[in-house]
């Protein structure tokens, strides 16, 4: 468990710890974000397998580790959602704030589970049981139902106690000194060390109690420091203490409209003051915002939210521009909105120290001037008015390009490391002619390629040329025939061979003309075209 501090071995008594666990939290967070009910059959997937499933899904046989297709075969009504750790953590943050209003010193173990020292709440409410019930009541008022609490010596035993509780008995208190006895029958899988667990099982040590019976010195010699630490956990001698999270300063800013506003320019004018206040607060803390989340609440009850990135950092003007662009994207026109705006929230998602982005002694150079010029043009043309190209995966050079608005994260539409089936036939170890061309035409330009005898060059199914390319002409540009000074190819590719209607077989060539310019030609269905050029 990250974030838990370990005291020196043998110093002091074990810390009585309260662990609060919200079962199926990834399902609750993902379903709420997607607009689904967590009470229905819902499964959250990570890497194609079920990470967590709701109670309704488990009743239909959906289990953790199942593949998506197997889970859906067991429960046809299953709602499948992708796991997003950002959504998971963001949704749990208000829960922590809710608990911190009742008792300070809460530590987040992971989204859905937190810990705190039992001493303070126990003194205030009288007993550990009463303190736990008060925490559960607090979560119920915050619409977090089904939570469970475990109290024991150390965070590890308290977590296992929380997991061992039941929906009817939601609080399980392990008496002081009783952690070793409680942990004895539990499986070694709970240690969270797969390599060590596998080895222990092969040695016949399947429970924490069996592992705890081994001499500590022998465990250290045989399994090393990690094994010795796991041995202390299994023995109920978890000497770590709870480390309260450092509450970050409140940076989000909210602007409420009363009455509601239905024009983009009016909203943008009102947001200016809030943007200045937010940037001023960040500057006072020595921070700059590099990722901003804008939430727009409308009179219809919908909330439009989006994360905006910046290649450097946001200024107050940049914040106003992002709000205006988001409003224009959600409305039917540039001035009128489909539903009046009642609230605007500006939330800095990522704030970095200002020293990490400060200009050099002589300024930022050309990059700084380019950014400022493009940002100025973008503010006039809109968010999508200035774009850059991100190269990704695909079967053609045009398909590999993704136009990204300036300032957004350069994530291509298709991943470059995908297998891309349908292009298995290639006469060269390299699928694509290299180097990558500098100019890719939106639509291929019709062309012609002839051999020395004036016959149109073709390629057979065995990748044999009908003749040596001698001259070519780009028909679309109305140019005269040009002698071929050099050429390479063919690179043969068969796309979508599994679909008779969409299948395509083509061969790519590189030609260098007498004028020294290089071109990427494509022969498809006996027709030549120019796909790209090398400037």
């Amino acid at each position: 468990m990250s974030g838990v501090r370990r005291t020196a071995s043998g110093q002091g008594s074990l810390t009585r710890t309260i662990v609060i666990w919200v079962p199926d939290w990834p399902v609750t967070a993902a379903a709420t974000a997607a607009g689904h009910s967590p009470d229905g059959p819902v499964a959250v997937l990570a890497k194609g397998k079920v990470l967590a499933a709701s109670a309704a899904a488990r009743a239909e046989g959906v289990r953790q580790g199942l593949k998506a297709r197997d889970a859906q075969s067991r429960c046809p009504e299953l709602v499948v959602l992708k796991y997003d750790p950002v959504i998971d953590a963001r949704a749990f943050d208000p829960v922590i704030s809710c608990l911190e209003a009742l008792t300070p010193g809460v530590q987040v173990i992971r989204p859905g589970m937190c810990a705190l020292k039992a001493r303070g709440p126990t003194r205030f409410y009288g007993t550990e049981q009463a303190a736990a019930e008060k925490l559960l009541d607090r979560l119920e008022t915050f619409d977090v139902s089904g939570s469970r609490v475990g109290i024991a010596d150390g965070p590890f035993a308290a977590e296992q106690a929380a997991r061992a509780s039941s929906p009817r008995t939601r609080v399980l208190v392990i008496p002081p000194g009783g952690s070793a006895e409680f942990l004895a029958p539990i499986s070694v899988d709970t240690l969270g060390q797969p390599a060590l667990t596998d080895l222990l099982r092969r040695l016949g040590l399947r429970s924490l109690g069996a592992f705890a019976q081994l001499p500590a010195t022998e465990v250290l010699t045989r399994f090393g420091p990690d094994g010795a630490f796991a041995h202390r956990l299994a023995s109920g001698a978890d000497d770590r203490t709870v480390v309260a999270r450092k509450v970050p300063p409140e940076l989000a800013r909210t602007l409420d409209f009363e009455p509601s506003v239905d024009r983009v320019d009016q909203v943008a004018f009102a947001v200016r003051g809030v943007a200045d206040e937010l940037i001023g607060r960040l500057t006072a803390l020595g921070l700059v915002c590099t990722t901003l989340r804008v939430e727009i609440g409308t009179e219809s009850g919908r909330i439009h939210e989006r994360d905006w990135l910046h290649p450097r950092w946001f200024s107050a003007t940049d914040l106003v521009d992002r709000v205006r662009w988001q409003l224009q994207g959600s409305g039917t026109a540039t001035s009128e909105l489909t539903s009046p705006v009642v609230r605007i929230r500006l939330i800095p998602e990522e704030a970095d120290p200002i020293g990490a982005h400060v200009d050099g002694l002589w300024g930022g150079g050309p990059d700084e001037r380019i950014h400022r010029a493009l940002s100025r043009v973008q503010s006039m043309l809109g968010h999508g008015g200035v774009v850059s190209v991100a190269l990704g995966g695909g079967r053609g050079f045009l398909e590999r390009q993704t136009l990204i608005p300036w300032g957004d994260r350069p994530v291509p539409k298709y991943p470059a490391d995908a297998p891309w089936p349908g292009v298995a036939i290639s006469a060269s170890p390299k699928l694509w002619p290299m180097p990558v061309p500098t100019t890719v035409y939106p639509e291929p330009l019709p062309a012609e390629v002839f051999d020395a005898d004036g016959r149109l060059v073709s390629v057979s199914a065995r990748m044999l040329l009908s003749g040596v390319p001698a001259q070519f002409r780009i028909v679309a540009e109305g140019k005269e025939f040009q002698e071929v000074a050099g050429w390479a190819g063919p690179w043969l590719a068969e796309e979508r061979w599994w679909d008779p209607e969409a299948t395509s077989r083509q061969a790519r060539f590189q030609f260098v003309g007498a004028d020294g310019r290089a071109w990427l030609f494509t022969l498809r269905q006996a027709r030549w075209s120019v796909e790209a050029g090398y400037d």
Side-chain angles (χ1 to χ4, degrees), residues 398-422:
L398 183 61
E399 188 180 7
R400 295 176 62 190
Q401 295 184 98
T402 303
L403 298 181
I404 307 295
W406 177 253
D408 286 7
R409 196 183 305 277
V411 178
K413 183 178 180 181
Y414 304 110
D417 56 352
W420 296 109

Side-chain angles (χ1 to χ4, degrees), residues 160-445:
Q160 304 312 314
R163 294 184 181 275
S165 61
S166 64
R168 296 186 61 181
T169 307
R170 298 170 57 190
V171 179
L172 180 57
V173 179
I174 308 301
S179 295
E181 182 180 355
F182 164 72
L183 293 171
I186 298 178
S187 170
V188 293
D189 294 333
T190 57
L191 293 172
Q193 298 187 29
L196 175 63
T197 298
D198 180 66
L199 180 56
L200 292 177
R201 286 187 170 277
R202 286 189 279 122
L203 293 174
L205 304 173
R206 292 178 171 81
S207 66
L208 296 178
F211 182 38
Q213 291 178 2
L214 298 179
T217 54
E218 299 294 336
V219 172
L220 177 60
T221 303
R222 177 64 179 84
F223 302 107
D226 291 340
F229 173 63
H231 185 263
R232 289 198 299 272
L233 298 183
S235 304
D238 186 2
D239 56 356
R240 298 173 297 170
T241 185
V242 175
V243 180
R245 72 164 186 164
K246 183 179 180 181
V247 181
E250 179 58 39
L251 298 176
R253 292 294 182 268
T254 303
L255 176 63
D256 294 315
F257 294 94
E258 182 61 40
S260 57
V261 179
D262 59 357
R263 292 187 59 85
V264 174
D265 53 352
Q266 293 175 344
V267 176
F269 179 79
V271 166
R272 179 70 198 204
V274 178
D276 288 334
E277 179 185 346
L278 174 57
I279 296 301
R281 174 61 173 162
L282 289 170
T283 303
L285 295 173
L287 301 173
V288 291
C289 177
T290 57
T291 302
L292 175 76
R293 179 154 56 96
V294 178
E295 294 181 357
I296 301 175
T298 60
E299 202 172 55
S300 62
R302 294 190 59 187
I303 297 180
H304 304 270
E305 61 178 12
R306 173 172 175 174
D307 290 344
W308 295 90
L309 292 93
H310 200 284
R312 289 172 63 84
W313 63 82
F314 285 100
S315 64
T317 303
D318 294 330
L319 299 187
V320 176
D321 286 340
R322 268 51 174 191
V323 172
R324 185 175 71 252
W325 296 343
Q326 189 162 325
L327 289 169
Q328 292 171 345
S330 60
T332 57
T334 58
S335 59
E336 300 292 338
L337 299 174
T338 56
S339 180
V341 176
V342 296
R343 171 175 289 187
I344 297 288
R345 274 178 58 83
L346 304 179
I347 307 171
E349 285 291 289
E350 294 184 11
D352 297 338
I354 195 170
H357 296 268
V358 69
D359 291 337
L361 179 62
W362 308 110
D367 290 343
E368 179 185 355
R369 294 195 297 270
I370 291 173
H371 161 66
R372 290 176 178 173
L374 293 180
S375 297
R376 191 178 301 112
V377 175
Q378 190 180 39
S379 65
M380 294 184 291
L381 300 180
H383 179 237
V386 180
V387 297
S388 58
V389 177
L391 283 179
R395 298 180 177 86
F397 285 106
L398 183 61
E399 188 180 7
R400 295 176 62 190
Q401 295 184 98
T402 303
L403 298 181
I404 307 295
W406 177 253
D408 286 7
R409 196 183 305 277
V411 178
K413 183 178 180 181
Y414 304 110
D417 56 352
W420 296 109
V423 290
I425 302 176
S426 178
S428 169
K430 293 183 178 180
L431 179 62
W432 305 106
M434 298 299 289
V436 175
T438 55
T439 301
V440 179
Y441 299 105
E443 293 293 335
L445 306 178

Side-chain angles (χ1 to χ4, degrees), residues 24-39 42-46 51-54 79-92 111 305:
D24 306 328
W25 176 258
V27 174
T28 302
T32 303
H36 299 284
S37 172
D39 298 328
V42 180
V44 178
L45 302 184
L51 175 67
S54 63
V79 177
V80 176
L81 301 174
K82 184 180 179 181
Y83 176 67
D84 189 338
V86 176
I87 293 178
D88 208 23
R90 181 188 299 165
F92 195 60
E305 61 178 12

